[in-house]
Amino acid sequence: MSFSVTPNLESALKRLRALYLARKFWIDQLCIDQDNLREKEQQLALMADIYRRSCRLLIWLGDDGDESRKSYKIIDRLLRLDQNVNLGDHNSNDHLPQQTKASIGLDQLKSHRLPSPKDTGWQELRSLLSRPWFSRIWTIQEAAVSTKTDFLWGKEHSLSWQGMVSIIVLVREHLPRTLLGSDILFRGLPADSVYRITATMRTLEDRTHQDLFNLALTYKAYGASKPHDKLYALLNLSGRPQTADYGQSTETTFHDMAHQNICCVYQEIARRPEELSQQQWHPYPGISQGPHLRMVALICAAGIANQQLSLPSWVPDWTVDSFPAPIWTRKTCYRSGAYAADCPGVPPTDLTLERSTIVNGTLAEMQWSVESRKLVGSASLPDTLQIKGLICDVISRRGFAKVDLGKPLEHEEQQKALVEWLLEADEMADLGIESSNSAGADAELFRRTLLFDESMLQPPEIERPELSKALRFAKYSKFVSGMKRKLQPWDYLQAIQNIPGRTFFVTQGGRMGLAPQTTHMYDKICVLPGFEVPLVLRPEGSEFRLVGECYAGNDDMMPGGSEYSQMIPEWIMIK
């Protein structure tokens, strides 16, 4: 019997074959008819059990590349270093690395028998840790449910799952970040997925399953060849049994998921109103979000700024992989380190838990628009969400300079874009100050706006040499001579992480803020009870389309603020 296989599978089979021994493997690509959608739906429900009952999961990273020879020597040395020096305290019960303060400086590499910073082996290691397996959505289920896992690549190289975790911990927490490129400070590495998957393993072992929405949010940036699979690949990891339906359009699948989640939020609140009057947000994804924060997360993940499919604007589009780091998470928890966004699988430190925010549980009233319902298969899905909120302000001017998402900030093109963006924002801030009643707030208000009013970095952190490339723009003559409201270097470092994918704006009420790049003049600023951040809405007749979340200056218009208490909520129809 003959069958076609991909070049990658062919190289894996050649590595795994034994000359005088029959070996049995389950390979999805061969054991499931990929062209038979009904068979895929049936097999999908069984896949978790198949991987869970396997004696060993073998992850094939690919053939030998230029990176294999030198990078494996570095891996071997790092593992020995981890055992001998005990840089990382790995708790086998928790499966997750605990951060320590121990680190190795550039001048200490030789004493630890590691290559010099200029050795090509470091970039070869980066290449290995960036192989496609780490960015695919189907790999999450495979690794999360298996009991024993090994990585294989090339003709003879291998590494256990725990060994890979140790390597990532050492690279991210204990070695100078310039070794693999300073951009990993902002962007991370594809292999950081081992953090997230290990956190998911823990929830499965503790039987505290994350729901499908939380999983989809955690793994939103992971790729799939079929858009349905951005959700279906995670079904077996969620606590609620659900079935895949490949006969249903992608739009309907996403629409139905958002509708069900919103219904569940309000049903749960109605059942337990007193118990849910307050809830705590933890920056560790293994701790499930409460219903109120799940609603905030869903709405802030939606919006036309984050959509490419034809969907109601309140429905998240899971096919969009690249998106700015959410503002709402900044406003509901304090991140103690610059890497919290990159490595959400790392357990919270004492500092992050102490500063976790208690969130008021009063959530905006909601009802579905009966007139907007449409029949999709056997389900009736509403196109319009009615929610009670406050229209607080109108955007009077927005910037046009852009800093692209997904490109390293230290690249020259991005550095020039940052100069144009900040100079334009500095000029526009004059308009905001002129129309504002808060005299004397000038430079400080501008600073707080760029930082989302959260100072998360301290002066000593800017001294790290790997950060200098990302801050070159601040020394450009055009910037030095043209920028009136200058920030401290550590403030710039935080601001440039907030800028990509966003535009600066000022409002008729004198506020200044940051919003999605797709924001238009005359879009409205809306506040919803229970939300920590405002939303941008676009008027279309008597209804609105959600553009996305934003930061809009001071908190007077937010729940508890002086302006908020003077306004009366109204029903807002979001389509």
Side-chain angles (χ1 to χ4, degrees), residues 136-169:
R136 292 173 181 159
I137 194 107
W138 277 109
T139 62
I140 297 158
Q141 175 184 239
E142 300 169 3
V145 302
S146 298
T147 56
K148 182 180 180 181
T149 302
D150 290 313
F151 293 90
L152 306 176
W153 69 97
K155 295 181 179 179
E156 57 183 10
H157 302 316
S158 65
L159 186 64
S160 69
W161 178 268
Q162 191 57 42
M164 182 64 77
V165 172
S166 297
I167 293 299
I168 299 302
V169 171

XYZ file of all heavy atoms in Angstrom, residues 136-169:
276
model
N 1.990 26.273 16.117
C 0.796 25.643 15.536
C -0.212 25.294 16.620
O 0.147 24.769 17.676
C 1.193 24.388 14.763
C 2.009 24.698 13.508
C 2.531 23.429 12.867
N 3.326 23.693 11.681
C 4.206 22.859 11.166
N 4.410 21.681 11.759
N 4.885 23.177 10.087
N -1.475 25.539 16.349
C -2.513 25.372 17.374
C -2.761 23.909 17.731
O -3.065 23.585 18.878
C -3.826 26.055 16.927
C -4.800 26.192 18.105
C -4.509 25.308 15.803
C -4.953 27.550 18.614
N -2.612 22.977 16.762
C -2.897 21.566 17.050
C -1.864 20.946 17.979
O -2.113 19.922 18.616
C -2.977 20.757 15.756
C -4.318 20.848 15.103
C -4.641 21.509 13.948
C -5.548 20.276 15.578
N -5.980 21.387 13.673
C -6.568 20.621 14.655
C -5.889 19.506 16.681
C -7.886 20.232 14.809
C -7.212 19.116 16.848
C -8.195 19.475 15.914
N -0.686 21.555 18.068
C 0.359 20.986 18.920
C 0.012 21.123 20.408
O 0.544 20.384 21.242
C 1.704 21.681 18.668
O 1.589 23.077 19.009
C 2.102 21.566 17.205
N -0.868 22.051 20.741
C -1.170 22.337 22.151
C -1.831 21.141 22.817
O -1.416 20.687 23.894
C -2.069 23.586 22.245
C -1.321 24.795 21.697
C -2.530 23.830 23.684
C -2.209 25.920 21.258
N -2.864 20.581 22.173
C -3.559 19.424 22.731
C -2.613 18.233 22.847
O -2.598 17.540 23.874
C -4.754 19.056 21.854
C -5.458 17.791 22.304
C -6.570 17.389 21.360
O -7.717 17.294 21.754
N -6.224 17.140 20.112
N -1.829 17.989 21.814
C -0.926 16.843 21.815
C -0.010 16.859 23.034
O 0.127 15.869 23.757
C -0.070 16.858 20.539
C -0.869 16.782 19.245
C 0.009 17.067 18.040
O 1.235 17.261 18.245
O -0.507 17.112 16.911
N 0.617 18.017 23.259
C 1.592 18.104 24.339
C 0.930 18.180 25.711
O 1.457 17.643 26.696
C 2.488 19.326 24.126
N -0.224 18.842 25.795
C -0.857 19.080 27.094
C -1.378 17.803 27.746
O -1.389 17.698 28.973
C -1.989 20.090 26.950
N -1.821 16.825 26.958
C -2.438 15.627 27.539
C -1.478 14.432 27.609
O -1.778 13.443 28.277
C -3.707 15.209 26.757
C -4.720 16.338 26.732
C -3.369 14.769 25.337
N -0.355 14.502 26.932
C 0.570 13.366 26.920
C 1.326 13.258 28.238
O 1.597 14.252 28.907
C 1.571 13.505 25.764
O 0.891 13.501 24.525
N 1.677 12.027 28.602
C 2.351 11.793 29.883
C 3.869 11.834 29.761
O 4.562 12.127 30.725
C 1.935 10.424 30.454
O 2.214 9.409 29.476
C 0.447 10.421 30.780
N 4.396 11.525 28.592
C 5.837 11.586 28.377
C 6.090 12.139 26.981
O 5.566 11.621 26.003
C 6.481 10.204 28.518
C 8.008 10.227 28.359
C 8.624 8.845 28.507
C 10.134 8.906 28.342
N 10.775 7.576 28.445
N 6.902 13.193 26.901
C 7.089 13.895 25.636
C 8.562 14.151 25.388
O 9.296 14.574 26.296
C 6.326 15.238 25.651
O 4.944 14.995 25.881
C 6.494 15.977 24.338
N 8.994 13.911 24.149
C 10.370 14.200 23.746
C 10.369 14.965 22.428
O 9.541 14.694 21.532
C 11.179 12.912 23.565
C 11.453 12.209 24.886
O 11.869 12.897 25.840
O 11.232 10.989 24.964
N 11.288 15.915 22.302
C 11.519 16.627 21.039
C 12.628 15.907 20.283
O 13.645 15.521 20.873
C 11.944 18.071 21.301
C 10.876 18.925 21.920
C 10.745 19.029 23.300
C 10.000 19.643 21.117
C 9.766 19.825 23.870
C 9.006 20.436 21.672
C 8.890 20.530 23.052
N 12.434 15.736 18.969
C 13.450 15.123 18.112
C 13.734 16.051 16.938
O 12.825 16.704 16.423
C 12.969 13.771 17.572
C 12.482 12.708 18.569
C 11.964 11.496 17.809
C 13.583 12.310 19.529
N 14.969 16.113 16.501
C 15.293 16.829 15.274
C 16.616 16.296 14.730
O 17.438 15.749 15.461
C 15.354 18.338 15.506
C 16.484 18.848 16.338
C 17.668 19.373 15.903
C 16.546 18.908 17.780
N 18.453 19.746 16.962
C 17.797 19.486 18.124
C 15.678 18.532 18.795
C 18.182 19.678 19.444
C 16.063 18.731 20.109
C 17.284 19.296 20.429
N 16.772 16.421 13.426
C 17.993 15.941 12.796
C 18.146 14.437 12.864
O 17.190 13.695 13.090
N 19.358 13.961 12.698
C 19.614 12.521 12.665
C 19.680 11.887 14.046
O 19.432 10.686 14.184
C 20.925 12.252 11.913
C 20.859 12.628 10.435
C 22.184 12.322 9.737
C 22.101 12.670 8.258
N 23.387 12.398 7.551
N 19.999 12.691 15.090
C 20.210 12.049 16.386
C 19.854 12.910 17.592
O 19.910 12.445 18.723
C 21.677 11.632 16.518
C 22.634 12.795 16.350
C 24.089 12.376 16.402
O 24.364 11.174 16.372
O 24.958 13.262 16.478
N 19.459 14.156 17.380
C 19.257 15.055 18.518
C 17.888 14.828 19.162
O 16.886 14.596 18.489
C 19.371 16.513 18.083
C 20.681 16.852 17.464
N 21.882 16.424 17.997
C 20.999 17.563 16.344
C 22.877 16.864 17.242
N 22.362 17.552 16.237
N 17.839 14.945 20.498
C 16.577 14.799 21.229
C 16.653 15.594 22.528
O 17.740 15.896 23.035
C 16.278 13.326 21.529
O 17.250 12.793 22.402
N 15.472 15.913 23.080
C 15.378 16.687 24.314
C 14.020 16.413 24.941
O 13.002 16.419 24.253
C 15.531 18.186 24.015
C 15.592 19.148 25.202
C 16.831 18.879 26.051
C 15.593 20.591 24.708
N 13.999 16.160 26.243
C 12.730 15.910 26.922
C 11.935 17.209 27.043
O 12.476 18.316 26.888
C 12.979 15.336 28.320
O 13.550 16.336 29.164
N 10.637 17.072 27.355
C 9.796 18.256 27.536
C 10.340 19.118 28.670
O 10.469 20.337 28.519
C 8.359 17.839 27.838
C 7.448 19.022 28.072
C 7.155 19.621 29.250
C 6.743 19.758 27.063
N 6.306 20.689 29.055
C 6.042 20.789 27.720
C 6.648 19.631 25.674
C 5.233 21.701 27.033
C 5.846 20.543 24.987
C 5.156 21.566 25.654
N 10.656 18.493 29.800
C 11.179 19.258 30.933
C 12.518 19.892 30.592
O 12.834 20.989 31.041
C 11.312 18.371 32.178
C 11.598 19.141 33.461
C 10.548 20.195 33.769
O 9.354 19.942 33.616
N 10.982 21.371 34.166
N 13.315 19.197 29.751
C 14.570 19.784 29.298
C 14.333 21.037 28.479
O 15.048 22.039 28.634
N 13.300 21.022 27.616
C 12.972 22.199 26.814
C 12.509 23.343 27.712
O 12.874 24.510 27.502
C 11.898 21.853 25.786
C 11.511 23.018 24.863
S 12.881 23.586 23.806
C 12.887 22.286 22.543
N 11.696 23.020 28.725
C 11.270 24.051 29.671
C 12.482 24.683 30.343
O 12.571 25.910 30.474
C 10.307 23.459 30.727
C 10.014 24.485 31.824
C 8.996 23.018 30.083
N 13.431 23.859 30.765
C 14.631 24.370 31.426
C 15.423 25.293 30.510
O 15.925 26.344 30.949
C 15.523 23.196 31.873
O 14.859 22.389 32.827
N 15.552 24.916 29.240
C 16.286 25.747 28.282
C 15.603 27.108 28.130
O 16.266 28.166 28.134
C 16.391 25.044 26.911
C 17.263 23.796 27.015
C 16.937 25.993 25.849
C 18.691 24.071 27.439
N 14.295 27.111 28.012
C 13.568 28.371 27.842
C 13.715 29.245 29.086
O 13.908 30.459 28.993
C 12.073 28.114 27.537
C 11.922 27.329 26.232
C 11.317 29.433 27.429
C 12.525 28.008 25.029
N 13.639 28.631 30.260
C 13.809 29.397 31.505
C 15.197 30.047 31.538
O 15.339 31.235 31.845
C 13.620 28.488 32.737
C 14.007 29.227 34.008
C 12.191 28.019 32.834
